[in-house]
Amino acid sequence: RQAYLFGEDFSLLDVAMAPLLWRLDHYDIKLPKTAAPLMKYAERIFSRQGFIDALTPSEKAMRK
């Protein structure tokens, strides 16, 4: 199991930000290179089983 900086529970920030970040590619929204740390954070959230399990089929189809 991967260790997380703030534990394995989702924080309120994770719950609020993850759905927005998940949709960036779908809507062809490009962030500047300075957002690389934010996108690394997003990928860590996206790889968590709890996040994957919570996605609807239409959300899963947004990123393949």
Side-chain angles (χ1 to χ4, degrees):
R1 293 178 78 149
Q2 184 175 355
Y4 295 95
L5 184 60
F6 299 111
E8 292 189 29
D9 293 329
F10 288 102
S11 71
L12 187 57
L13 178 64
D14 298 333
V15 172
M17 291 299 297
L20 297 171
L21 295 169
W22 180 260
R23 287 162 171 74
L24 291 177
D25 285 345
H26 179 75
Y27 291 109
D28 201 29
I29 297 170
K30 306 293 183 215
L31 298 181
K33 292 188 186 301
T34 55
L38 177 64
M39 296 315 296
K40 283 182 82 172
Y41 155 78
E43 291 303 323
R44 284 194 311 270
I45 295 298
F46 300 161
S47 70
R48 296 174 78 177
Q49 194 61 49
F51 179 81
I52 295 165
D53 292 344
L55 292 170
T56 66
S58 60
E59 288 171 324
K60 287 179 182 174
M62 289 180 170
R63 295 182 66 168
K64 294 202 177 209

